[in-house]
Amino acid sequence: MFKRKLAALDHHAPDSFNINDEREIRNLVLWLENQKIRRYKIEDRAPLQATGPEWNANFEKYCKDLASPIADGSMAEKLEWLIGYAVSLEYSDDADKYKGQTAENVSKIVVNVPKVESSNPLDNMDFESPDFKKGILALAQILDVTPHPDHLVTLKAVSKVVRERLSQEALDKPNNIIVKGKPFPFQEADLGFDMGDYVLNQAAKILRLLYIHDLRDLQTGINETIVAVQSITADPKTDTKLGQVGR
C-alpha cells in the first residue's frame, strides 16, 4: 500500500516493505526522519533508534511533534500519513521540478520494461465507446433486462442472466434452474414498518426480498457442505485387524 509513495521518495526497497515487521517499521521511520523530514536535530534522533519497547512511546511523541492528525489510528494509518507528509516536503523543496510533470509527460518517459502483448481481446476493448454501449443495450433488450443509466451496471445484470439462464447446465436441465410459478406480488406484501413514503416503502420491500434471496443462497451452501461432510462421516472405513478381544 506504500509502494508508490516510497518509490517517489527513492526508498531503497519500496516493493518489499513489510508492514507486519516491527524492525522494518522502525527502520522506515528512522529513514524518513534522517533523509526526508528532518524534524529533529541529529543528536535528538536517538529515541527513534531505540530497539526496545520504549520505541512505541518515542514514535507517538514523534507523531505529536509533527502534528499528525492520526492519534488513535492503526500503525498502517500512522505510517500512511507520515509517508505522505514526507512526500509533501519533498515536493515543496523543489516544486518547480514537479509542476511540469503531467500525466502525458510521464507517459512519454521511456522505461526499460518489456512490452507484454495480451491475446485477450477484452484487454484492447474500449468500455466507454458508443458502440460498446449500444451493444450492451441491444443485449439487454434481447434478454429482457431493464437497462440502467450506467451501462456497466446493465452489463453486470446481463452477465448474471447469461450465467444463470444460458449456462450449459441451465440449457440441459432448464426445469432445475429456471424458477417457475406465479410471481410473488411484493407490492402487496406487508413491509412491517412504514417509512412515510410510498416509493421508499416499495424500495424497502425489494431490498428485503434481495436479502432473503441471499440468505437462501447461503443456506443452500451450508446444506451442501453438511451433506458433503455427512457423506464422509456416515461411512467410516473400519479395519478389523486392529481390534482386540480381551486383554
PDB file of all heavy atoms in Angstrom, residues 25-26 28-30 32 37 40 47-50 53-66 68 70-71 73-83:
ATOM      1  N   ILE A  25       9.469  -1.416  10.216  1.00  0.00           N
ATOM      2  CA  ILE A  25       8.737  -0.186  10.535  1.00  0.00           C
ATOM      3  C   ILE A  25       9.670   0.833  11.193  1.00  0.00           C
ATOM      4  O   ILE A  25       9.695   2.011  10.826  1.00  0.00           O
ATOM      5  CB  ILE A  25       7.543  -0.501  11.455  1.00  0.00           C
ATOM      6  CG1 ILE A  25       6.482  -1.307  10.697  1.00  0.00           C
ATOM      7  CG2 ILE A  25       6.939   0.793  12.013  1.00  0.00           C
ATOM      8  CD1 ILE A  25       5.328  -1.753  11.566  1.00  0.00           C
ATOM      9  N   ARG A  26      10.462   0.372  12.169  1.00  0.00           N
ATOM     10  CA  ARG A  26      11.380   1.276  12.875  1.00  0.00           C
ATOM     11  C   ARG A  26      12.446   1.818  11.935  1.00  0.00           C
ATOM     12  O   ARG A  26      12.789   3.002  11.993  1.00  0.00           O
ATOM     13  CB  ARG A  26      12.020   0.535  14.042  1.00  0.00           C
ATOM     14  CG  ARG A  26      11.015   0.105  15.108  1.00  0.00           C
ATOM     15  CD  ARG A  26      11.670  -0.712  16.212  1.00  0.00           C
ATOM     16  NE  ARG A  26      10.687  -1.137  17.211  1.00  0.00           N
ATOM     17  CZ  ARG A  26      10.968  -1.835  18.285  1.00  0.00           C
ATOM     18  NH1 ARG A  26      12.220  -2.190  18.530  1.00  0.00           N
ATOM     19  NH2 ARG A  26      10.025  -2.177  19.143  1.00  0.00           N
ATOM     20  N   LEU A  28      12.116   2.232   8.741  1.00  0.00           N
ATOM     21  CA  LEU A  28      11.485   3.173   7.815  1.00  0.00           C
ATOM     22  C   LEU A  28      11.285   4.529   8.471  1.00  0.00           C
ATOM     23  O   LEU A  28      11.556   5.569   7.860  1.00  0.00           O
ATOM     24  CB  LEU A  28      10.141   2.611   7.331  1.00  0.00           C
ATOM     25  CG  LEU A  28       9.313   3.558   6.444  1.00  0.00           C
ATOM     26  CD1 LEU A  28      10.079   3.899   5.177  1.00  0.00           C
ATOM     27  CD2 LEU A  28       7.963   2.946   6.117  1.00  0.00           C
ATOM     28  N   VAL A  29      10.788   4.532   9.707  1.00  0.00           N
ATOM     29  CA  VAL A  29      10.572   5.801  10.416  1.00  0.00           C
ATOM     30  C   VAL A  29      11.887   6.552  10.580  1.00  0.00           C
ATOM     31  O   VAL A  29      11.958   7.777  10.344  1.00  0.00           O
ATOM     32  CB  VAL A  29       9.922   5.543  11.789  1.00  0.00           C
ATOM     33  CG1 VAL A  29       9.863   6.832  12.607  1.00  0.00           C
ATOM     34  CG2 VAL A  29       8.525   4.964  11.615  1.00  0.00           C
ATOM     35  N   LEU A  30      12.930   5.846  10.953  1.00  0.00           N
ATOM     36  CA  LEU A  30      14.237   6.485  11.111  1.00  0.00           C
ATOM     37  C   LEU A  30      14.755   7.004   9.771  1.00  0.00           C
ATOM     38  O   LEU A  30      15.325   8.106   9.701  1.00  0.00           O
ATOM     39  CB  LEU A  30      15.222   5.487  11.720  1.00  0.00           C
ATOM     40  CG  LEU A  30      16.616   6.036  12.038  1.00  0.00           C
ATOM     41  CD1 LEU A  30      16.538   7.161  13.054  1.00  0.00           C
ATOM     42  CD2 LEU A  30      17.531   4.916  12.555  1.00  0.00           C
ATOM     43  N   LEU A  32      12.937   7.963   7.188  1.00  0.00           N
ATOM     44  CA  LEU A  32      12.151   9.141   6.810  1.00  0.00           C
ATOM     45  C   LEU A  32      12.629  10.383   7.553  1.00  0.00           C
ATOM     46  O   LEU A  32      12.734  11.471   6.968  1.00  0.00           O
ATOM     47  CB  LEU A  32      10.667   8.893   7.103  1.00  0.00           C
ATOM     48  CG  LEU A  32       9.952   7.893   6.193  1.00  0.00           C
ATOM     49  CD1 LEU A  32       8.555   7.602   6.717  1.00  0.00           C
ATOM     50  CD2 LEU A  32       9.876   8.414   4.755  1.00  0.00           C
ATOM     51  N   ILE A  37      12.312  14.129   6.400  1.00  0.00           N
ATOM     52  CA  ILE A  37      11.553  15.038   7.270  1.00  0.00           C
ATOM     53  C   ILE A  37      12.477  15.967   8.046  1.00  0.00           C
ATOM     54  O   ILE A  37      12.300  17.186   8.041  1.00  0.00           O
ATOM     55  CB  ILE A  37      10.658  14.225   8.221  1.00  0.00           C
ATOM     56  CG1 ILE A  37       9.666  13.388   7.408  1.00  0.00           C
ATOM     57  CG2 ILE A  37       9.912  15.158   9.175  1.00  0.00           C
ATOM     58  CD1 ILE A  37       8.776  12.483   8.245  1.00  0.00           C
ATOM     59  N   TYR A  40      13.891  16.616  13.857  1.00  0.00           N
ATOM     60  CA  TYR A  40      14.796  16.735  14.998  1.00  0.00           C
ATOM     61  C   TYR A  40      16.220  17.045  14.523  1.00  0.00           C
ATOM     62  O   TYR A  40      16.585  16.751  13.378  1.00  0.00           O
ATOM     63  CB  TYR A  40      14.832  15.437  15.802  1.00  0.00           C
ATOM     64  CG  TYR A  40      13.531  15.055  16.464  1.00  0.00           C
ATOM     65  CD1 TYR A  40      13.251  13.722  16.747  1.00  0.00           C
ATOM     66  CD2 TYR A  40      12.584  16.007  16.817  1.00  0.00           C
ATOM     67  CE1 TYR A  40      12.074  13.343  17.374  1.00  0.00           C
ATOM     68  CE2 TYR A  40      11.403  15.647  17.431  1.00  0.00           C
ATOM     69  CZ  TYR A  40      11.147  14.318  17.707  1.00  0.00           C
ATOM     70  OH  TYR A  40       9.977  13.962  18.319  1.00  0.00           O
ATOM     71  N   PRO A  47      16.135   8.652  20.193  1.00  0.00           N
ATOM     72  CA  PRO A  47      14.961   7.862  20.613  1.00  0.00           C
ATOM     73  C   PRO A  47      14.350   7.040  19.482  1.00  0.00           C
ATOM     74  O   PRO A  47      13.790   5.971  19.736  1.00  0.00           O
ATOM     75  CB  PRO A  47      13.986   8.936  21.115  1.00  0.00           C
ATOM     76  CG  PRO A  47      14.863  10.054  21.571  1.00  0.00           C
ATOM     77  CD  PRO A  47      16.007  10.069  20.600  1.00  0.00           C
ATOM     78  N   LEU A  48      14.465   7.512  18.251  1.00  0.00           N
ATOM     79  CA  LEU A  48      13.913   6.757  17.124  1.00  0.00           C
ATOM     80  C   LEU A  48      14.805   5.584  16.740  1.00  0.00           C
ATOM     81  O   LEU A  48      14.402   4.743  15.931  1.00  0.00           O
ATOM     82  CB  LEU A  48      13.717   7.674  15.914  1.00  0.00           C
ATOM     83  CG  LEU A  48      12.686   8.788  16.083  1.00  0.00           C
ATOM     84  CD1 LEU A  48      12.625   9.648  14.821  1.00  0.00           C
ATOM     85  CD2 LEU A  48      11.303   8.221  16.401  1.00  0.00           C
ATOM     86  N   GLN A  49      16.008   5.530  17.318  1.00  0.00           N
ATOM     87  CA  GLN A  49      16.912   4.415  17.065  1.00  0.00           C
ATOM     88  C   GLN A  49      16.780   3.313  18.105  1.00  0.00           C
ATOM     89  O   GLN A  49      17.447   2.288  18.014  1.00  0.00           O
ATOM     90  CB  GLN A  49      18.356   4.919  17.028  1.00  0.00           C
ATOM     91  CG  GLN A  49      18.624   5.952  15.944  1.00  0.00           C
ATOM     92  CD  GLN A  49      20.036   6.510  15.993  1.00  0.00           C
ATOM     93  OE1 GLN A  49      20.839   6.093  16.816  1.00  0.00           O
ATOM     94  NE2 GLN A  49      20.336   7.441  15.115  1.00  0.00           N
ATOM     95  N   ALA A  50      15.914   3.527  19.085  1.00  0.00           N
ATOM     96  CA  ALA A  50      15.737   2.539  20.152  1.00  0.00           C
ATOM     97  C   ALA A  50      15.186   1.242  19.577  1.00  0.00           C
ATOM     98  O   ALA A  50      14.469   1.228  18.578  1.00  0.00           O
ATOM     99  CB  ALA A  50      14.802   3.089  21.220  1.00  0.00           C
ATOM    100  N   PRO A  53      10.933  -1.746  23.916  1.00  0.00           N
ATOM    101  CA  PRO A  53       9.509  -1.369  23.953  1.00  0.00           C
ATOM    102  C   PRO A  53       9.287   0.132  24.066  1.00  0.00           C
ATOM    103  O   PRO A  53       8.195   0.618  23.789  1.00  0.00           O
ATOM    104  CB  PRO A  53       8.975  -2.106  25.191  1.00  0.00           C
ATOM    105  CG  PRO A  53      10.184  -2.378  26.036  1.00  0.00           C
ATOM    106  CD  PRO A  53      11.311  -2.582  25.079  1.00  0.00           C
ATOM    107  N   GLU A  54      10.335   0.867  24.488  1.00  0.00           N
ATOM    108  CA  GLU A  54      10.166   2.318  24.605  1.00  0.00           C
ATOM    109  C   GLU A  54      10.041   2.999  23.248  1.00  0.00           C
ATOM    110  O   GLU A  54       9.675   4.182  23.167  1.00  0.00           O
ATOM    111  CB  GLU A  54      11.343   2.916  25.386  1.00  0.00           C
ATOM    112  CG  GLU A  54      12.698   2.863  24.666  1.00  0.00           C
ATOM    113  CD  GLU A  54      13.427   1.558  24.880  1.00  0.00           C
ATOM    114  OE1 GLU A  54      12.802   0.614  25.427  1.00  0.00           O
ATOM    115  OE2 GLU A  54      14.605   1.469  24.508  1.00  0.00           O
ATOM    116  N   TRP A  55      10.342   2.270  22.174  1.00  0.00           N
ATOM    117  CA  TRP A  55      10.278   2.885  20.839  1.00  0.00           C
ATOM    118  C   TRP A  55       8.866   3.350  20.514  1.00  0.00           C
ATOM    119  O   TRP A  55       8.673   4.398  19.887  1.00  0.00           O
ATOM    120  CB  TRP A  55      10.746   1.901  19.774  1.00  0.00           C
ATOM    121  CG  TRP A  55      10.783   2.520  18.400  1.00  0.00           C
ATOM    122  CD1 TRP A  55      11.832   3.192  17.827  1.00  0.00           C
ATOM    123  CD2 TRP A  55       9.728   2.545  17.432  1.00  0.00           C
ATOM    124  NE1 TRP A  55      11.488   3.627  16.563  1.00  0.00           N
ATOM    125  CE2 TRP A  55      10.190   3.244  16.296  1.00  0.00           C
ATOM    126  CE3 TRP A  55       8.428   2.040  17.420  1.00  0.00           C
ATOM    127  CZ2 TRP A  55       9.408   3.450  15.165  1.00  0.00           C
ATOM    128  CZ3 TRP A  55       7.638   2.250  16.290  1.00  0.00           C
ATOM    129  CH2 TRP A  55       8.131   2.942  15.185  1.00  0.00           C
ATOM    130  N   ASN A  56       7.865   2.585  20.926  1.00  0.00           N
ATOM    131  CA  ASN A  56       6.481   2.952  20.617  1.00  0.00           C
ATOM    132  C   ASN A  56       6.130   4.302  21.224  1.00  0.00           C
ATOM    133  O   ASN A  56       5.484   5.144  20.575  1.00  0.00           O
ATOM    134  CB  ASN A  56       5.519   1.876  21.123  1.00  0.00           C
ATOM    135  CG  ASN A  56       5.639   0.588  20.331  1.00  0.00           C
ATOM    136  OD1 ASN A  56       5.879   0.608  19.133  1.00  0.00           O
ATOM    137  ND2 ASN A  56       5.479  -0.544  21.005  1.00  0.00           N
ATOM    138  N   ALA A  57       6.534   4.528  22.458  1.00  0.00           N
ATOM    139  CA  ALA A  57       6.268   5.817  23.103  1.00  0.00           C
ATOM    140  C   ALA A  57       7.034   6.931  22.400  1.00  0.00           C
ATOM    141  O   ALA A  57       6.511   8.044  22.209  1.00  0.00           O
ATOM    142  CB  ALA A  57       6.645   5.750  24.579  1.00  0.00           C
ATOM    143  N   ASN A  58       8.265   6.646  21.982  1.00  0.00           N
ATOM    144  CA  ASN A  58       9.050   7.638  21.249  1.00  0.00           C
ATOM    145  C   ASN A  58       8.397   7.967  19.902  1.00  0.00           C
ATOM    146  O   ASN A  58       8.396   9.127  19.472  1.00  0.00           O
ATOM    147  CB  ASN A  58      10.468   7.114  21.025  1.00  0.00           C
ATOM    148  CG  ASN A  58      11.210   6.878  22.330  1.00  0.00           C
ATOM    149  OD1 ASN A  58      10.877   7.475  23.358  1.00  0.00           O
ATOM    150  ND2 ASN A  58      12.203   6.007  22.303  1.00  0.00           N
ATOM    151  N   PHE A  59       7.845   6.948  19.260  1.00  0.00           N
ATOM    152  CA  PHE A  59       7.193   7.170  17.972  1.00  0.00           C
ATOM    153  C   PHE A  59       5.927   8.007  18.143  1.00  0.00           C
ATOM    154  O   PHE A  59       5.637   8.889  17.327  1.00  0.00           O
ATOM    155  CB  PHE A  59       6.862   5.819  17.319  1.00  0.00           C
ATOM    156  CG  PHE A  59       6.107   5.942  16.028  1.00  0.00           C
ATOM    157  CD1 PHE A  59       6.704   6.509  14.911  1.00  0.00           C
ATOM    158  CD2 PHE A  59       4.799   5.506  15.928  1.00  0.00           C
ATOM    159  CE1 PHE A  59       6.008   6.636  13.711  1.00  0.00           C
ATOM    160  CE2 PHE A  59       4.097   5.621  14.739  1.00  0.00           C
ATOM    161  CZ  PHE A  59       4.704   6.187  13.625  1.00  0.00           C
ATOM    162  N   GLU A  60       5.171   7.739  19.211  1.00  0.00           N
ATOM    163  CA  GLU A  60       3.967   8.530  19.466  1.00  0.00           C
ATOM    164  C   GLU A  60       4.331  10.002  19.690  1.00  0.00           C
ATOM    165  O   GLU A  60       3.650  10.905  19.194  1.00  0.00           O
ATOM    166  CB  GLU A  60       3.223   7.974  20.682  1.00  0.00           C
ATOM    167  CG  GLU A  60       2.626   6.593  20.490  1.00  0.00           C
ATOM    168  CD  GLU A  60       1.522   6.578  19.435  1.00  0.00           C
ATOM    169  OE1 GLU A  60       0.882   7.627  19.235  1.00  0.00           O
ATOM    170  OE2 GLU A  60       1.314   5.515  18.818  1.00  0.00           O
ATOM    171  N   LYS A  61       5.400  10.240  20.429  1.00  0.00           N
ATOM    172  CA  LYS A  61       5.839  11.622  20.658  1.00  0.00           C
ATOM    173  C   LYS A  61       6.289  12.265  19.356  1.00  0.00           C
ATOM    174  O   LYS A  61       6.032  13.454  19.095  1.00  0.00           O
ATOM    175  CB  LYS A  61       6.993  11.640  21.676  1.00  0.00           C
ATOM    176  CG  LYS A  61       7.509  13.037  21.994  1.00  0.00           C
ATOM    177  CD  LYS A  61       8.627  12.997  22.999  1.00  0.00           C
ATOM    178  CE  LYS A  61       9.098  14.408  23.340  1.00  0.00           C
ATOM    179  NZ  LYS A  61       9.544  15.168  22.144  1.00  0.00           N
ATOM    180  N   TYR A  62       6.943  11.477  18.520  1.00  0.00           N
ATOM    181  CA  TYR A  62       7.403  11.983  17.224  1.00  0.00           C
ATOM    182  C   TYR A  62       6.214  12.417  16.366  1.00  0.00           C
ATOM    183  O   TYR A  62       6.238  13.482  15.727  1.00  0.00           O
ATOM    184  CB  TYR A  62       8.216  10.894  16.530  1.00  0.00           C
ATOM    185  CG  TYR A  62       8.741  11.263  15.165  1.00  0.00           C
ATOM    186  CD1 TYR A  62       9.601  12.341  15.002  1.00  0.00           C
ATOM    187  CD2 TYR A  62       8.380  10.525  14.038  1.00  0.00           C
ATOM    188  CE1 TYR A  62      10.100  12.682  13.752  1.00  0.00           C
ATOM    189  CE2 TYR A  62       8.869  10.858  12.787  1.00  0.00           C
ATOM    190  CZ  TYR A  62       9.727  11.936  12.640  1.00  0.00           C
ATOM    191  OH  TYR A  62      10.220  12.268  11.400  1.00  0.00           O
ATOM    192  N   CYS A  63       5.167  11.609  16.360  1.00  0.00           N
ATOM    193  CA  CYS A  63       3.974  11.940  15.580  1.00  0.00           C
ATOM    194  C   CYS A  63       3.308  13.210  16.119  1.00  0.00           C
ATOM    195  O   CYS A  63       2.829  14.059  15.343  1.00  0.00           O
ATOM    196  CB  CYS A  63       2.987  10.780  15.605  1.00  0.00           C
ATOM    197  SG  CYS A  63       3.534   9.311  14.691  1.00  0.00           S
ATOM    198  N   LYS A  64       3.273  13.358  17.451  1.00  0.00           N
ATOM    199  CA  LYS A  64       2.690  14.563  18.042  1.00  0.00           C
ATOM    200  C   LYS A  64       3.515  15.789  17.686  1.00  0.00           C
ATOM    201  O   LYS A  64       2.970  16.868  17.414  1.00  0.00           O
ATOM    202  CB  LYS A  64       2.593  14.416  19.555  1.00  0.00           C
ATOM    203  CG  LYS A  64       1.556  13.396  19.998  1.00  0.00           C
ATOM    204  CD  LYS A  64       1.495  13.312  21.518  1.00  0.00           C
ATOM    205  CE  LYS A  64       0.459  12.297  21.964  1.00  0.00           C
ATOM    206  NZ  LYS A  64       0.396  12.168  23.450  1.00  0.00           N
ATOM    207  N   ASP A  65       4.839  15.645  17.685  1.00  0.00           N
ATOM    208  CA  ASP A  65       5.701  16.773  17.332  1.00  0.00           C
ATOM    209  C   ASP A  65       5.499  17.191  15.872  1.00  0.00           C
ATOM    210  O   ASP A  65       5.707  18.365  15.527  1.00  0.00           O
ATOM    211  CB  ASP A  65       7.165  16.399  17.563  1.00  0.00           C
ATOM    212  CG  ASP A  65       7.490  16.242  19.040  1.00  0.00           C
ATOM    213  OD1 ASP A  65       6.714  16.749  19.867  1.00  0.00           O
ATOM    214  OD2 ASP A  65       8.510  15.605  19.365  1.00  0.00           O
ATOM    215  N   LEU A  66       5.098  16.243  15.035  1.00  0.00           N
ATOM    216  CA  LEU A  66       4.827  16.557  13.636  1.00  0.00           C
ATOM    217  C   LEU A  66       3.393  17.012  13.416  1.00  0.00           C
ATOM    218  O   LEU A  66       2.995  17.284  12.276  1.00  0.00           O
ATOM    219  CB  LEU A  66       5.104  15.330  12.762  1.00  0.00           C
ATOM    220  CG  LEU A  66       6.561  14.871  12.676  1.00  0.00           C
ATOM    221  CD1 LEU A  66       6.661  13.576  11.877  1.00  0.00           C
ATOM    222  CD2 LEU A  66       7.433  15.938  12.031  1.00  0.00           C
ATOM    223  N   SER A  68       0.658  15.230  13.734  1.00  0.00           N
ATOM    224  CA  SER A  68      -0.076  14.227  12.972  1.00  0.00           C
ATOM    225  C   SER A  68      -1.525  14.173  13.442  1.00  0.00           C
ATOM    226  O   SER A  68      -1.791  14.131  14.643  1.00  0.00           O
ATOM    227  CB  SER A  68       0.571  12.844  13.151  1.00  0.00           C
ATOM    228  OG  SER A  68      -0.254  11.835  12.597  1.00  0.00           O
ATOM    229  N   ILE A  70      -3.470  11.680  13.049  1.00  0.00           N
ATOM    230  CA  ILE A  70      -3.811  10.287  13.352  1.00  0.00           C
ATOM    231  C   ILE A  70      -3.370   9.996  14.775  1.00  0.00           C
ATOM    232  O   ILE A  70      -2.217   9.645  15.034  1.00  0.00           O
ATOM    233  CB  ILE A  70      -3.132   9.316  12.366  1.00  0.00           C
ATOM    234  CG1 ILE A  70      -3.347   9.780  10.931  1.00  0.00           C
ATOM    235  CG2 ILE A  70      -3.659   7.910  12.572  1.00  0.00           C
ATOM    236  CD1 ILE A  70      -4.786   9.831  10.499  1.00  0.00           C
ATOM    237  N   ALA A  71      -4.295  10.150  15.718  1.00  0.00           N
ATOM    238  CA  ALA A  71      -3.955   9.957  17.125  1.00  0.00           C
ATOM    239  C   ALA A  71      -4.209   8.524  17.580  1.00  0.00           C
ATOM    240  O   ALA A  71      -3.365   7.907  18.228  1.00  0.00           O
ATOM    241  CB  ALA A  71      -4.758  10.930  17.987  1.00  0.00           C
ATOM    242  N   GLY A  73      -5.254   5.948  15.478  1.00  0.00           N
ATOM    243  CA  GLY A  73      -5.328   5.036  14.351  1.00  0.00           C
ATOM    244  C   GLY A  73      -4.359   3.882  14.468  1.00  0.00           C
ATOM    245  O   GLY A  73      -3.569   3.776  15.412  1.00  0.00           O
ATOM    246  N   SER A  74      -4.419   3.008  13.476  1.00  0.00           N
ATOM    247  CA  SER A  74      -3.514   1.858  13.439  1.00  0.00           C
ATOM    248  C   SER A  74      -2.135   2.302  12.983  1.00  0.00           C
ATOM    249  O   SER A  74      -1.943   3.434  12.510  1.00  0.00           O
ATOM    250  CB  SER A  74      -4.061   0.796  12.484  1.00  0.00           C
ATOM    251  OG  SER A  74      -4.104   1.300  11.159  1.00  0.00           O
ATOM    252  N   MET A  75      -1.163   1.395  13.108  1.00  0.00           N
ATOM    253  CA  MET A  75       0.187   1.703  12.664  1.00  0.00           C
ATOM    254  C   MET A  75       0.213   1.970  11.165  1.00  0.00           C
ATOM    255  O   MET A  75       0.937   2.857  10.698  1.00  0.00           O
ATOM    256  CB  MET A  75       1.120   0.545  13.016  1.00  0.00           C
ATOM    257  CG  MET A  75       2.555   0.733  12.530  1.00  0.00           C
ATOM    258  SD  MET A  75       3.349   2.244  13.178  1.00  0.00           S
ATOM    259  CE  MET A  75       3.560   1.778  14.902  1.00  0.00           C
ATOM    260  N   ALA A  76      -0.585   1.229  10.400  1.00  0.00           N
ATOM    261  CA  ALA A  76      -0.635   1.443   8.953  1.00  0.00           C
ATOM    262  C   ALA A  76      -1.128   2.848   8.625  1.00  0.00           C
ATOM    263  O   ALA A  76      -0.600   3.516   7.733  1.00  0.00           O
ATOM    264  CB  ALA A  76      -1.528   0.395   8.298  1.00  0.00           C
ATOM    265  N   GLU A  77      -2.139   3.316   9.358  1.00  0.00           N
ATOM    266  CA  GLU A  77      -2.672   4.662   9.122  1.00  0.00           C
ATOM    267  C   GLU A  77      -1.644   5.727   9.499  1.00  0.00           C
ATOM    268  O   GLU A  77      -1.509   6.749   8.810  1.00  0.00           O
ATOM    269  CB  GLU A  77      -3.960   4.851   9.913  1.00  0.00           C
ATOM    270  CG  GLU A  77      -5.108   3.984   9.435  1.00  0.00           C
ATOM    271  CD  GLU A  77      -6.316   4.056  10.346  1.00  0.00           C
ATOM    272  OE1 GLU A  77      -6.131   4.226  11.577  1.00  0.00           O
ATOM    273  OE2 GLU A  77      -7.445   3.935   9.845  1.00  0.00           O
ATOM    274  N   LYS A  78      -0.941   5.502  10.603  1.00  0.00           N
ATOM    275  CA  LYS A  78       0.068   6.471  11.029  1.00  0.00           C
ATOM    276  C   LYS A  78       1.221   6.540  10.022  1.00  0.00           C
ATOM    277  O   LYS A  78       1.713   7.619   9.702  1.00  0.00           O
ATOM    278  CB  LYS A  78       0.592   6.099  12.415  1.00  0.00           C
ATOM    279  CG  LYS A  78      -0.468   6.220  13.511  1.00  0.00           C
ATOM    280  CD  LYS A  78       0.064   5.753  14.854  1.00  0.00           C
ATOM    281  CE  LYS A  78      -1.016   5.847  15.925  1.00  0.00           C
ATOM    282  NZ  LYS A  78      -0.553   5.366  17.243  1.00  0.00           N
ATOM    283  N   LEU A  79       1.647   5.376   9.535  1.00  0.00           N
ATOM    284  CA  LEU A  79       2.718   5.364   8.533  1.00  0.00           C
ATOM    285  C   LEU A  79       2.259   5.980   7.223  1.00  0.00           C
ATOM    286  O   LEU A  79       3.032   6.650   6.532  1.00  0.00           O
ATOM    287  CB  LEU A  79       3.189   3.928   8.303  1.00  0.00           C
ATOM    288  CG  LEU A  79       4.064   3.298   9.394  1.00  0.00           C
ATOM    289  CD1 LEU A  79       4.440   1.892   9.010  1.00  0.00           C
ATOM    290  CD2 LEU A  79       5.311   4.137   9.648  1.00  0.00           C
ATOM    291  N   GLU A  80       0.997   5.736   6.870  1.00  0.00           N
ATOM    292  CA  GLU A  80       0.454   6.319   5.640  1.00  0.00           C
ATOM    293  C   GLU A  80       0.542   7.842   5.682  1.00  0.00           C
ATOM    294  O   GLU A  80       0.948   8.494   4.722  1.00  0.00           O
ATOM    295  CB  GLU A  80      -0.994   5.875   5.455  1.00  0.00           C
ATOM    296  CG  GLU A  80      -1.696   6.472   4.246  1.00  0.00           C
ATOM    297  CD  GLU A  80      -1.233   5.866   2.941  1.00  0.00           C
ATOM    298  OE1 GLU A  80      -0.596   4.792   2.966  1.00  0.00           O
ATOM    299  OE2 GLU A  80      -1.488   6.472   1.895  1.00  0.00           O
ATOM    300  N   TRP A  81       0.156   8.417   6.827  1.00  0.00           N
ATOM    301  CA  TRP A  81       0.236   9.868   6.958  1.00  0.00           C
ATOM    302  C   TRP A  81       1.693  10.328   6.965  1.00  0.00           C
ATOM    303  O   TRP A  81       2.036  11.325   6.325  1.00  0.00           O
ATOM    304  CB  TRP A  81      -0.450  10.326   8.248  1.00  0.00           C
ATOM    305  CG  TRP A  81      -0.385  11.824   8.411  1.00  0.00           C
ATOM    306  CD1 TRP A  81      -1.273  12.732   7.932  1.00  0.00           C
ATOM    307  CD2 TRP A  81       0.660  12.575   9.054  1.00  0.00           C
ATOM    308  NE1 TRP A  81      -0.859  14.007   8.236  1.00  0.00           N
ATOM    309  CE2 TRP A  81       0.320  13.941   8.920  1.00  0.00           C
ATOM    310  CE3 TRP A  81       1.820  12.216   9.723  1.00  0.00           C
ATOM    311  CZ2 TRP A  81       1.119  14.955   9.443  1.00  0.00           C
ATOM    312  CZ3 TRP A  81       2.616  13.223  10.238  1.00  0.00           C
ATOM    313  CH2 TRP A  81       2.268  14.580  10.106  1.00  0.00           C
ATOM    314  N   LEU A  82       2.541   9.624   7.684  1.00  0.00           N
ATOM    315  CA  LEU A  82       3.946  10.014   7.802  1.00  0.00           C
ATOM    316  C   LEU A  82       4.636  10.004   6.438  1.00  0.00           C
ATOM    317  O   LEU A  82       5.374  10.943   6.096  1.00  0.00           O
ATOM    318  CB  LEU A  82       4.660   9.067   8.759  1.00  0.00           C
ATOM    319  CG  LEU A  82       6.092   9.459   9.168  1.00  0.00           C
ATOM    320  CD1 LEU A  82       6.074  10.767   9.938  1.00  0.00           C
ATOM    321  CD2 LEU A  82       6.717   8.354  10.014  1.00  0.00           C
ATOM    322  N   ILE A  83       4.387   8.965   5.647  1.00  0.00           N
ATOM    323  CA  ILE A  83       4.993   8.889   4.312  1.00  0.00           C
ATOM    324  C   ILE A  83       4.432   9.983   3.419  1.00  0.00           C
ATOM    325  O   ILE A  83       5.168  10.619   2.649  1.00  0.00           O
ATOM    326  CB  ILE A  83       4.748   7.499   3.704  1.00  0.00           C
ATOM    327  CG1 ILE A  83       5.435   6.427   4.539  1.00  0.00           C
ATOM    328  CG2 ILE A  83       5.253   7.444   2.272  1.00  0.00           C
ATOM    329  CD1 ILE A  83       5.095   5.011   4.127  1.00  0.00           C
TER     330      ILE A  83
END
